[in-house]
Every structure is written in structure tokens, then in C-alpha cells.
Amino acid sequence: MKISSEHYDMLVVGGGPIGLACGIAAQKAGLSYLIVEKGCLVNSLYHYPQNMTFFSTSERLEIGDIPFVSINPKPKRAEALEYYRRIQQKFDLNTHLFEEVISVSKQKDTFHITTSKSTYTASYVVVATGFYDIPCLLNIKGEDLPKVRHYYNDPHYYAGQKVVVVGASNSSVDAALETYRKGADVTLVVRGEGIGPRVKYWVRPDMENRIMNNEVRALFNSKLTEIRPTEVDILTPDGLITLENDFVLALTGYQPNFAFLEKIGIKLSEDASRQPMHNPDTMETNIPGLFLAGVVCGGMNTHLWFIENSRVHATQIIKRISGLQPF
């Protein structure tokens, strides 16, 4: 492992849009900084479905005061990847990709950071790791079978297959519609009594019409209970049913890496939300000098924070740092 002798004013864990925004804010403030990302640039966005359309308009996804020009009212994944790649290039951000942060510890006034490739020291650390890395599991028999996917990418793969999609969120509804249109026999399994309230308003009627026309089978107030190589069991209000099945898309949501947050000393709330402790005005955690930014701040309440309403975290953090210590 390489041991770095360079000390940074601020080290950012996570190279997503908010991590990049923190780097830009640090650069503008004249601070030395390093962004460390365990995958590729904006790794979470890269793993979004290929055809995904954002809920927000392009101007609400902008960072660094750089316009995000889109040919559509709401940009697609490919446009977002291009935009944030251009952001990286324009600001020449100091970013280390494919390097995972293993530990963060504080000794006196200095943070010591160990990664998969090196070690660093920094005066301040910002955790902007998002929540897309760890799926919320069903915890049922057969969930570990190869045919079960917790991430959905391209619909063509499922053409002509019997597919069960679990969930009623945007990702579930998008997957159900797209795979249906590529020729899959789709069954949507939903714990609640209907499509989720946060489903994109232009997608909801499409899904409801497909269900009404029996083009997509929807089982509401139901849950998957067991997965086997060629079939699945589903508990419905009318009893247990067994369906022939080729693939299960268990798109039941994702969660922050709570183990990492606890490992580095950030306290979590004791309720179901497991919200990391932080000051909403400064984004500083229970550890002085250690900050949170972006969607990780909401814990299990992953619907609270998005790119558009957490961009300001970068400014809040830099203001706090500048007030603590002049550079």
C-alpha cells in the first residue's frame, strides 16, 4: 500500500454529484482537497438503468454554476453522465477513482484515512456516499439464486421471459413497463394496495393502464415468500399461489452503508430511519470536523434528499470550515 505524505484541508468520501459539488466548493474557497470514489465517476448514476429519465429538470441537477443543457424536458442517464464528466474535466477536480475508503479515524485535530490503495491525512472529512450501494433484501428462501436481481439495467435481457418485479417504486414500475414492452411476461408484486405515491406522474397512468388492460399482472397486498429455480410462491389476499418464473427483479429499495458510518464513529438514530446524527445547518456530525453531504443524511428515509435539494450542503460545509479555521 502506498503511504501518502500529502495532507489535505478536506477529503471527500464519494465521487457522486454531491461529492463533486463539495470538491468545487473547496476549490473555489482555496482549500486543498481530495475526492475518493470506490468506483467510477458518479458511480451510482452509472449503475442506474440505461433508459432512466430523471424526475427533475436539468437545471435542478446543475452544480458549480455550470448549465446542464438537455434535449428533453427531463434528462436521461446518458446526459447526466456526460454532464458530470464534463464538470470533472472543467474544474480538473482532484479525484481518485476505483479507490475505496476503508477507515477514517481522528487523532487530535487530524483525520487519518486508509483506503484500498493508500493512506491520507486531512483536517476535515466529508462523507457523501449516497445510498445506492446496498439493496434492502427480502430475506426469503431462494433470494440468493442467480436469477434474482436487486439492480435493473437493460430490458432486452428479459425478452420472452417470465419476470416477477417486486415493489411499487419508480424503479419497479420502470422495470415492469420496459420489460413488458420488450416481450416479457411481467407480474408486479406489491405489499401495499396500489402503486407507490412517489411514482413519476407521467409514468403512473401508463402503469395503471397496462394493469387495467391485463398486459401487466399486478398482485397488490401481496408478498413474495419463496424463490425456486423455475417458480416462485406469492402470498396474496386470496391465499398462496405459485407462478412459473425465470427472473425476479427485487427492486425494493436501497440503503446507506450504515456499517461504514458506525465504523467511523457517526451515531445513528435508534428509530427505523437510522438517520446519521448531524447539524442540518452546518452538516457536521457528532464528530467535530466530520461532515455529511447528500442523500446519506436521510438514513433509511431515502426520499428526503436528492441532487437538487442537497447541492447546498457543499456551501454549508465550506462556510462552517471557513468559520472554524482560516486558510
Side-chain angles (χ1 to χ4, degrees):
M1 176 183 292
K2 176 185 174 183
I3 299 178
S4 173
S5 60
E6 189 166 1
H7 176 86
Y8 296 96
D9 294 328
M10 186 174 83
L11 187 140
V12 181
V13 185
I18 304 306
L20 298 184
C22 290
I24 293 170
Q27 189 179 97
K28 289 182 175 180
L31 307 181
S32 64
Y33 68 93
L34 173 64
I35 302 170
V36 182
E37 165 58 53
K38 74 174 185 178
C40 64
L41 191 70
V42 291
N43 191 63
S44 291
L45 298 191
Y46 175 77
H47 287 99
Y48 282 178
Q50 289 186 6
N51 300 321
M52 195 200 82
T53 299
F54 281 82
F55 196 101
S56 302
T57 52
S58 58
E59 68 272 12
R60 300 188 68 189
L61 302 176
E62 294 172 355
I63 59 176
D65 297 321
I66 303 300
F68 183 171
V69 180
S70 171
I71 62 174
N72 302 298
K74 299 179 186 297
K76 291 183 174 293
R77 166 188 173 275
E79 292 177 298
L81 292 178
E82 179 68 20
Y83 172 73
Y84 292 116
R85 188 166 60 247
R86 294 292 183 89
I87 287 287
Q88 161 69 28
Q89 294 170 350
K90 175 177 176 56
F91 289 97
D92 192 22
L93 295 171
N94 187 21
T95 306
H96 288 190
L97 302 176
F98 301 101
E99 182 172 349
E100 184 176 6
V101 173
I102 306 300
S103 66
V104 177
S105 61
K106 189 175 185 182
Q107 300 175 21
K108 295 184 178 180
D109 294 327
T110 301
F111 286 96
H112 294 256
I113 301 96
T114 300
T115 75
S116 57
K117 296 182 178 180
S118 188
T119 62
Y120 308 95
T121 60
S123 298
Y124 304 98
V125 171
V126 179
V127 177
T129 49
F131 70 93
Y132 198 61
D133 290 334
I134 302 175
C136 298
L137 300 179
L138 298 171
N139 294 314
I140 62 174
K141 186 177 180 180
E143 190 172 9
D144 57 346
L145 289 172
K147 72 174 190 174
V148 180
R149 311 290 167 81
H150 292 284
Y151 293 90
Y152 161 76
N153 189 6
D154 183 74
H156 169 80
Y157 188 82
Y158 303 99
Q161 303 298 292
K162 293 179 172 60
V163 178
V164 165
V165 180
V166 183
S169 63
N170 278 297
S171 58
S172 303
V173 170
D174 284 345
L177 288 171
E178 290 182 7
T179 52
Y180 152 72
R181 291 199 162 92
K182 297 303 181 184
D185 178 357
V186 179
T187 299
L188 185 66
V189 179
V190 181
R191 281 182 176 270
E193 57 187 23
I195 300 302
R198 301 188 188 91
V199 168
K200 291 171 282 195
Y201 64 84
W202 67 91
V203 174
R204 175 183 291 277
D206 189 5
M207 185 77 262
E208 291 174 340
N209 286 332
R210 301 292 73 73
I211 294 171
M212 184 173 61
N213 292 338
N214 295 316
E215 294 165 310
V216 171
R217 181 180 187 180
L219 299 174
F220 296 114
N221 297 307
S222 303
K223 64 178 182 179
L224 205 61
T225 59
E226 185 174 339
I227 304 168
R228 294 183 292 278
T230 61
E231 58 189 15
V232 295
D233 289 341
I234 304 169
L235 184 60
T236 75
D238 297 323
L240 189 70
I241 64 171
T242 298
L243 299 180
E244 291 184 9
N245 173 258
D246 298 305
F247 290 99
V248 173
L249 297 177
L251 306 179
T252 50
Y254 308 94
Q255 58 185 307
N257 189 339
F258 293 118
F260 174 74
L261 296 178
E262 291 181 308
K263 179 180 178 181
I264 65 177
I266 297 176
K267 294 181 179 178
L268 307 178
S269 65
E270 296 181 359
D271 58 13
S273 72
R274 304 198 71 194
Q275 186 172 9
M277 181 181 294
H278 66 282
N279 183 329
D281 296 322
T282 65
M283 309 312 296
E284 194 167 16
T285 68
N286 54 285
I287 301 173
L290 179 58
F291 299 84
L292 296 176
V295 295
V296 68
C297 300
M300 289 300 295
N301 293 324
T302 54
H303 61 281
L304 294 180
W305 294 105
F306 306 94
I307 297 171
E308 55 265 38
N309 68 351
S310 61
R311 296 175 296 178
V312 297
H313 293 171
T315 302
Q316 292 174 265
I317 292 168
I318 295 302
K319 284 183 178 179
R320 175 61 170 162
I321 289 176
S322 298
L324 282 172
Q325 180 179 333
F327 291 96

